[in-house]
């Protein structure tokens, strides 16, 4: 990153917490490009060693080319055209984080914007690397009521098969985010999903000010025309081209059983309290007899029940994962990489 490049914005939080809504609202700003995330951090963490010493220009060229191909997959659909040789001369990237910055800034320049916002999965796992590479970066921590979060996974269980699974993941990830702030001094701006949908202007104005950006009313509502194609691309993004659903909270009372609600409040109660959520139950849930066995059977049942959904709706996601595997195999097979 050149010294005069504006610092990027990173969205921190769990899946199914409204991060695509927040991303699209930020992307409505005249200075911010917020594309669909290729999830580079997770996608490359296990295969980065195949590229060898990234201070070597040839190795970096391979990495940039592969990252561009991944961004242009139909799931992400960036339409990025990057002259790798020119990027190497202009930016002189020396690390994976430099390569990430080159790719995202090229995408932002395509749309005439100086700043990019990244919504990647599990960014809280990379917070120290992010702040080391971009000390002035802004981190927005978006969180959602775990009961609605789990109800959302229950309706469309892409990889979390039971309410127990989604609850445990939510609790672990919020603890990680809160620990970054309380134990390690990472500065993050807190955004409640419930506040975001009920009072969008006030919440977005606060987020924009935290990011050092002028407040723009375009960030207070979704842009249906801009998001139509993205909404059609993947079943889990189907609402991002629609007006903000102001009452999209407390639906867990309809979609979860009383036992599931009490389980969440009992097991994740301390984190819920810290984030300001109130309880519906006495929080007296106890694991039933043969709890582990019941979970195993439930996961199998959900997998069998939703096999057709996985085949039809998640095909484009599988195609993206297959491309990542192909890129990994290609990177591992190169003979001219300097280690």
């Amino acid at each position: 990153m050149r010294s005069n490049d504006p610092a990027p914005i990173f969205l921190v939080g769990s899946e199914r917490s409204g991060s695509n809504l927040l991303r699209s609202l930020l992307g409505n700003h005249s200075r911010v490009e917020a594309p669909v995330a290729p999830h580079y951090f997770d996608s490359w963490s296990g295969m980065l060693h195949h590229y060898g010493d990234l201070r070597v220009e040839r190795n970096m060229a391979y990495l940039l080319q592969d990252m561009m191909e991944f961004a242009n997959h139909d799931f992400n659909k960036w339409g990025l055209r990057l002259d790798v040789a020119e990027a190497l001369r202009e930016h002189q990237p020396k690390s994976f984080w430099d390569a990430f910055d080159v790719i995202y800034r090229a995408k932002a320049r395509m749309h005439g914007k100086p700043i990019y916002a990244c919504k990647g999965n599990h960014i809280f796992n990379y917070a120290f690397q992010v702040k080391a590479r971009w000390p002035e970066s802004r981190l927005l921590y978006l969180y959602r009521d775990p009961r609605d979060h789990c109800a959302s996974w229950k309706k469309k269980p892409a990889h979390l098969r039971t309410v127990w699974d989604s609850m445990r993941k939510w609790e672990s990830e919020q603890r990680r985010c809160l620990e970054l702030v309380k134990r390690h001094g990472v500065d993050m701006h807190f955004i409640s999903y419930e506040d975001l949908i009920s009072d969008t202007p006030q919440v977005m104005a606060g987020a924009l000010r935290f990011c050092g950006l002028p407040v723009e009313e375009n960030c207070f509502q979704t842009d249906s025309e801009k998001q139509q194609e993205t909404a059609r691309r993947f079943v889990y993004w189907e609402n991002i081209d629609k007006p903000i659903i102001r009452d999209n909270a407390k639906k867990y009372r309809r979609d979860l059983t009383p036992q599931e609600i009490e389980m969440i409040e009992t097991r994740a109660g301390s984190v819920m309290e810290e984030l300001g959520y109130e309880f519906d139950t006495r929080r007296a849930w106890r694991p039933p007899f043969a709890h582990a066995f019941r979970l195993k059977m439930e996961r199998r049942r959900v997998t069998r029940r939703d096999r057709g959904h996985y085949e039809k709706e998640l095909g484009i996601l599988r195609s993206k994962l297959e491309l990542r595997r192909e890129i990994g195999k290609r990177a591992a097979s190169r003979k001219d990489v300097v280690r």
Side-chain angles (χ1 to χ4, degrees), residues 128 179-188:
F128 298 135
E179 183 181 75
L180 287 170
V181 176
K182 297 192 302 180
R183 309 279 186 265
H184 302 289
V186 177
D187 188 21
M188 294 197 292

Side-chain angles (χ1 to χ4, degrees), residues 54-65 82-95 98-99 102 109:
L54 291 175
R55 296 170 298 179
V56 176
E57 190 172 277
R58 179 195 299 141
N59 297 353
M60 178 58 72
Y62 283 139
L63 177 61
L64 288 173
Q65 188 65 45
L82 177 70
D83 186 322
V84 171
E86 181 180 337
L88 290 171
R89 288 193 302 272
E90 180 180 357
H91 300 284
Q92 299 181 4
K94 303 296 183 185
S95 70
D98 290 348
V102 167
R109 284 198 300 271

Side-chain angles (χ1 to χ4, degrees), residues 218-249:
N218 285 342
C219 298
F220 299 168
Q221 57 190 354
T222 54
D223 186 332
S224 60
E225 184 175 345
K226 181 179 178 182
Q227 297 293 342
Q228 275 182 357
E229 193 279 331
T230 302
R232 289 193 298 266
R233 197 183 313 162
F234 190 46
V235 64
Y236 294 94
W237 301 339
E238 60 190 3
N239 288 326
I240 65 171
D241 66 333
K242 297 179 174 61
I244 297 171
I245 305 172
R246 303 295 177 190
D247 62 348
N248 196 33

Side-chain angles (χ1 to χ4, degrees), residues 73-105:
H73 181 273
D74 280 347
F75 185 91
N76 307 309
K77 220 162 193 174
W78 277 26
L80 184 61
R81 294 294 178 266
L82 177 70
D83 186 322
V84 171
E86 181 180 337
L88 290 171
R89 288 193 302 272
E90 180 180 357
H91 300 284
Q92 299 181 4
K94 303 296 183 185
S95 70
F96 165 75
W97 309 98
D98 290 348
F100 173 94
D101 194 71
V102 167
I103 293 286
Y104 258 87
R105 288 197 187 280

Side-chain angles (χ1 to χ4, degrees), residues 14-273:
S14 299
E15 295 177 82
R16 304 288 181 87
S17 294
S19 53
N20 266 308
L21 171 61
L22 179 57
R23 176 188 63 80
S24 65
L25 294 176
L26 284 170
N28 290 340
H29 197 280
S30 62
R31 293 177 53 80
V32 180
E33 173 63 11
V36 170
H39 305 301
Y40 281 127
F41 295 172
D42 277 356
S43 296
W44 255 261
S45 63
M47 61 185 185
L48 197 57
H49 61 284
H50 293 314
Y51 294 88
D53 186 344
L54 291 175
R55 296 170 298 179
V56 176
E57 190 172 277
R58 179 195 299 141
N59 297 353
M60 178 58 72
Y62 283 139
L63 177 61
L64 288 173
Q65 188 65 45
D66 289 348
M67 291 176 73
M68 178 170 61
E69 180 181 357
F70 196 60
N72 289 337
H73 181 273
D74 280 347
F75 185 91
N76 307 309
K77 220 162 193 174
W78 277 26
L80 184 61
R81 294 294 178 266
L82 177 70
D83 186 322
V84 171
E86 181 180 337
L88 290 171
R89 288 193 302 272
E90 180 180 357
H91 300 284
Q92 299 181 4
K94 303 296 183 185
S95 70
F96 165 75
W97 309 98
D98 290 348
F100 173 94
D101 194 71
V102 167
I103 293 286
Y104 258 87
R105 288 197 187 280
K107 174 62 172 172
R109 284 198 300 271
M110 283 175 56
H111 301 275
K113 297 187 178 184
I115 301 169
Y116 63 82
C118 170
K119 182 207 88 73
N121 287 341
H122 310 125
I123 285 181
F124 44 78
N125 287 331
Y126 309 93
F128 298 135
Q129 294 94 321
V130 165
K131 294 304 286 187
R133 177 58 182 79
W134 300 277
E136 301 303 317
S137 61
R138 298 293 188 263
L139 274 59
L140 304 178
Y141 168 39
L142 176 67
Y143 57 92
R144 184 182 187 183
D145 187 319
R147 295 160 295 191
D148 279 324
H149 173 87
C150 292
S152 177
W153 277 113
K154 184 178 180 180
K155 291 171 66 176
K156 292 181 178 177
H159 60 269
L160 295 173
R161 301 290 187 261
T162 71
V163 172
W164 172 269
D165 295 329
S166 54
M167 178 272 296
R168 291 293 299 275
K169 189 171 187 288
W170 181 91
E171 180 189 22
S172 172
E173 293 179 348
Q174 305 336 293
R175 287 191 186 281
R176 176 65 172 144
C177 293
L178 293 170
E179 183 181 75
L180 287 170
V181 176
K182 297 192 302 180
R183 309 279 186 265
H184 302 289
V186 177
D187 188 21
M188 294 197 292
H189 181 71
F190 284 45
I191 300 175
S192 154
Y193 172 75
E194 293 75 28
D195 291 343
L196 177 63
I197 61 174
S198 64
D199 193 357
T200 310
Q202 179 174 329
V203 172
M204 287 305 300
L208 293 173
R209 292 190 188 102
F210 175 79
C211 294
L213 293 167
V215 176
E216 294 182 1
E217 292 187 5
N218 285 342
C219 298
F220 299 168
Q221 57 190 354
T222 54
D223 186 332
S224 60
E225 184 175 345
K226 181 179 178 182
Q227 297 293 342
Q228 275 182 357
E229 193 279 331
T230 302
R232 289 193 298 266
R233 197 183 313 162
F234 190 46
V235 64
Y236 294 94
W237 301 339
E238 60 190 3
N239 288 326
I240 65 171
D241 66 333
K242 297 179 174 61
I244 297 171
I245 305 172
R246 303 295 177 190
D247 62 348
N248 196 33
K250 297 190 183 299
K251 290 189 174 181
Y252 68 84
R253 291 173 175 167
R254 177 195 65 196
D255 298 326
L256 298 180
T257 67
Q259 293 77 20
E260 289 170 335
I261 295 171
E262 187 159 29
M263 176 186 70
I264 295 168
E265 294 184 356
T266 302
R267 295 303 298 248
S270 61
V271 182
M272 290 178 64
E273 282 186 310

